[in-house]
Amino acid sequence: CWGCLVVFFRFLATGDSFKTISFSYRLGHATVYKIVIDTCQSIVKNLMTEVMPQPTEERWKQISNDFWNVWNFPNCLGALDGKHVTIQAPANSGSNFFNYKKTFSVVLLALVDANYNFIAVDVGAYGKNSDGGILAHSNLGKSLENGSLNIPNDEILPNTNISAPYVILGDEAFPLKTYLMRP
């Protein structure tokens, strides 16, 4: 319904509380909540596989090729980092969202290809958590650990006869793993 989209876009555009929006449109607080949640779930259900499909082995190889051509880094499947998004502390949340920068935040964890396109994201982790901890508990981290992401087998590095695994690049916030490299 058009009214539902208006409510949804108002929430996204302004960041107003459900209570404020409910007064503006003469709707119940629970109705606004349901509209926003249902619309988000519908967008994810209908667009996620088109916008951010799980990469196939061929796609991983293309991403690796792009990293080699653009950044001169072989066998790379992506760059990984977390970004703290500052928020107002939710009511009764204690220190869950309080981070090392002494602000309240949620964390956006993202894996991107050589052209900065998202491959995978995890949104909404508590600001108190480390990037490495968020990765470990995310679907991406679990899939990397159990080997269910269609990642190709080790490949010979260019201009050598050395075989090396495909890796993801991250900063010091992430632990070293066979699939995760950091400075």
Side-chain angles (χ1 to χ4, degrees):
C1 79
W2 288 108
C4 295
L5 283 177
V6 169
V7 169
F8 176 72
F9 286 128
R10 166 84 182 267
F11 174 74
L12 288 182
T14 64
D16 284 346
S17 68
F18 293 149
K19 192 175 206 174
T20 302
I21 295 171
S22 70
F23 285 132
S24 298
Y25 293 100
R26 297 180 188 218
L27 296 168
H29 177 269
T31 303
V32 172
Y33 173 83
K34 184 163 176 41
I35 288 170
V36 171
I37 297 302
D38 288 353
T39 305
C40 286
Q41 289 173 342
S42 181
I43 288 170
V44 168
K45 177 183 171 195
N46 293 301
L47 294 178
M48 184 64 87
T49 56
E50 184 176 331
V51 175
M52 205 178 331
Q54 182 171 335
T56 61
E57 186 172 336
E58 294 77 32
R59 179 66 183 129
W60 285 124
K61 286 184 177 185
Q62 180 58 51
I63 291 169
S64 175
N65 245 0
D66 291 346
F67 267 98
W68 173 244
N69 293 327
V70 175
W71 299 105
N72 201 28
F73 197 103
N75 289 21
C76 183
L77 300 177
L80 182 68
D81 202 7
K83 169 68 177 154
H84 285 267
V85 179
T86 303
I87 62 170
Q88 287 186 351
N92 304 316
S93 64
S95 62
N96 285 331
F97 295 95
F98 194 70
N99 65 36
Y100 68 96
K101 297 177 180 180
K102 303 205 183 320
T103 62
F104 293 90
S105 64
V106 292
V107 179
L108 164 66
L109 185 73
L111 176 66
V112 297
D113 66 16
N115 300 304
Y116 310 112
N117 297 309
F118 290 114
I119 300 169
V121 296
D122 183 89
V123 182
Y126 293 133
K128 71 175 185 174
N129 295 337
S130 69
D131 289 352
I134 294 167
L135 175 64
H137 292 96
S138 70
N139 288 337
L140 173 62
K142 291 174 184 173
S143 297
L144 286 166
E145 278 296 317
N146 68 29
S148 63
L149 283 180
N150 305 315
I151 293 175
N153 293 324
D154 296 3
E155 192 79 29
I156 303 292
L157 295 175
N159 305 318
T160 72
N161 58 359
I162 301 169
S163 179
Y166 284 91
V167 296
I168 291 171
L169 303 177
D171 60 18
E172 295 85 1
F174 298 100
L176 288 173
K177 301 274 189 177
T178 56
Y179 55 82
L180 188 57
M181 182 181 260
R182 63 181 206 190

